[in-house]
Amino acid sequence: MSLLGFGRVLVVTAVEAERAAVAGGLGAATAVTTAAVGVGPAAAAAGTARLLTRAECAGEPFDAVLCAGIGGGFAPLAAVGGLVIADVSIAADLGAEDHDAFVDVEALGFGRSRHPADRRLLDGLRAALPDAVVAPVLTVSTATGSAARTAALAARVPGAGAEAMEGFGVAAAAEGVAFAELRAISNPVGPRDRAAWRIPDALARLRTAFAALAAFPAPPGPAEPPAPAA
């Protein structure tokens, strides 16, 4: 079974609980490989690169990479218990401070801080998960825990939907392979309040999302060429 019409798909998460939720939703989708690669952009990039390299060396390269897991949602756009599909994964704190301003790596001339989702994969996710919010997902190395930082990030990336810690790293490792990111929202981005976290609910939402993806019909392939005339 393929996922959204892609042949071999790699779904990477940060931790085992997320991977188990994804695998539980997928069921018998045997063309999909799931792996927990570690927390943070560096671990995510290293783990994803290792898996992609091994597959390529074995002559079975992946056709798509999906970073999945739970994350914080920016209110009011992304509510706890909802889903956010990233149209772009952004390394939100990759850059430099210039007094009170933040300068991203593009402005510094050092590289890139944004990886757009693959259009075909994004369209498939949107079709299979019509209730999901489509918005930028921010990758950070330190989870936000204050109103001031929440406001700064929201101003830096207007329309941001969610915050997590792996998407940009996975995208960087998957350069040249179709990539997208999907997050189930476990808590609002803002002042740290563990009583407001709904991690089991978010993991359950992740599971149902991947069940929906597994059940969604693949788009039709290219038409067969006409048979030669007799």
Side-chain angles (χ1 to χ4, degrees):
M1 181 188 300
S2 66
L3 195 70
L4 300 178
F6 288 84
R8 297 194 71 238
V9 178
L10 172 63
V11 181
V12 293
T13 69
V15 299
E16 174 58 24
E18 294 168 319
R19 190 211 64 80
V22 169
L26 289 171
T30 55
V32 179
T33 298
T34 62
V37 294
V39 175
T48 302
R50 182 169 60 251
L51 292 165
L52 291 173
T53 301
R54 286 178 177 172
E56 194 165 328
C57 289
E60 297 181 334
F62 288 104
D63 301 299
V65 177
L66 183 56
C67 178
I70 65 176
F74 283 90
L77 183 61
V80 173
L83 294 172
V84 177
I85 303 167
D87 53 5
V88 59
S89 297
I90 302 175
D93 50 12
L94 182 61
E97 287 187 340
D98 185 357
H99 300 286
D100 292 331
F102 174 81
V103 184
D104 62 28
V105 292
E106 285 88 350
L108 293 169
F110 292 161
R112 62 189 295 193
S113 63
R114 296 168 176 255
H115 280 282
D118 173 80
R119 177 52 56 180
R120 180 182 159 207
L121 187 50
L122 177 60
D123 288 347
L125 290 168
R126 294 178 72 166
L129 304 170
D131 59 337
V133 171
V134 179
V137 173
L138 310 188
T139 299
V140 295
S141 295
T142 301
T144 298
S146 70
R149 187 163 190 256
T150 302
L153 290 175
R156 192 176 300 166
V157 184
E163 172 189 277
M165 303 178 79
E166 293 78 33
F168 181 82
V170 174
E175 186 76 45
V177 181
F179 162 81
E181 182 176 4
L182 174 65
R183 294 288 169 182
I185 303 305
S186 59
N187 58 276
V189 177
R192 190 172 177 84
D193 177 11
R194 296 197 63 171
W197 295 359
R198 298 292 182 266
I199 292 176
D201 293 343
L203 291 172
R205 186 69 182 92
L206 193 64
R207 181 184 178 111
T208 61
F210 274 88
L213 292 175
F216 195 75
E224 293 290 330

